[in-house]
Amino acid sequence: MSSALRDQVGAFRAKAAAHGFSADEVQRWAELARPVLRLTLHGGGPVVGRFGGPLLLPADVPDPGHPYVATLDLTALSAEDAGLPLPSDGHLLLFAFPEHDSWYADVGSAVFVPAGAAVVERDRDFSWHSSEDDYRELLDQYPQGELHATADVSLPHFCDESFSHDLWKPEWPPYEPELVELFRTARAGTGDRGTLQVGGYASEEVVDVHDPITSVIAQARRALQKGKVTGPVSEDAADWVLLADWHTDIDGWEGATVHWAVQRDDLVARRFDRVFTTRYWNP
């Protein structure tokens, strides 16, 4: 358990106990929490990567099929705080284009560059129609700058004040508004919009599914059936993790969120070519 998760769940337990909730109720809720790293341009935490900057890839890696978003320095980033079995060093590059549909979970990709690998700088635009005004206008709004990490606790999106309890899952604890609020106020509170998060639960501006991972799975299964990908694609959400989430905050796309998800076994095996990427947009 990361220190942030331990501290914030401890704060929640204390608040809930003071309000008269039973230990069993609190434990069921505490078990829902996941560690997460929230990366922002203007935070006070350590620098663990950057939005934009030069695109550095090994010479034998093909040009990715989507625009460059960010590079994460895995040496500086705490895998424990992210709650993921990430490599202990090297760099993870994320690519995505939120204007695309994600029928086959293919609006982006991830590339892992091992530590010490020789890299060359690539043209960041490569096939992205840099002379076309519509593309250029969107790409010019991609964020730029160093990313600072804050360790936080991630909760299912139902803990947001906008959640409708009509979407409650049967296996979750009974819905209790006061307990939800206590859980929310125990968080670090860095916010989501305009940030990149690593690990945790995916979140949406409006919830149309309980966990966007289920949407990733459906689209990955569709890609498998169409022969667009090979290898096993589990239908069990427990076999998947959220690698990263990007709340784009781009003019005209303020409601768009990009999800990079991967099966845990593929992440352990460093199969970053097996990352599936979807986009949710609430216009």
Side-chain angles (χ1 to χ4, degrees), residues 149-162:
T150 299
D152 198 359
V153 170
S154 177
L155 305 171
H157 196 56
F158 63 73
C159 291
D160 186 276
E161 65 270 19
S162 65

Side-chain angles (χ1 to χ4, degrees), residues 38-40 51 190-197 245-248:
R38 302 198 189 280
L39 279 50
T40 62
F51 275 130
T190 57
D192 291 330
R193 182 171 293 281
T195 66
L196 186 70
Q197 77 173 53
D245 225 24
W246 176 34
H247 297 258
T248 62

Side-chain angles (χ1 to χ4, degrees), residues 18-38:
H19 281 73
F21 290 98
S22 72
D24 287 344
E25 285 180 290
V26 173
Q27 178 61 23
R28 291 183 66 189
W29 280 83
E31 289 174 355
L32 292 176
R34 296 176 183 173
V36 65
L37 278 173
R38 302 198 189 280

Side-chain angles (χ1 to χ4, degrees), residues 5 66-67 79 86 135 146 149 154 175 180 244 246 248 272 278:
L5 183 61
H66 301 86
L86 294 167
Y135 284 99
E146 293 181 333
S154 177
Y175 184 76
V180 171
W246 176 34
T248 62
F272 289 95
T278 63

Side-chain angles (χ1 to χ4, degrees), residues 15 37 49 54 74 89 97 119 141 144 152 203 225 253:
K15 288 185 176 186
L37 278 173
L74 298 178
D89 54 20
F97 194 61
V119 295
Q141 293 186 67
Q144 305 288 317
D152 198 359
S203 59
Q225 293 163 5
W253 290 91

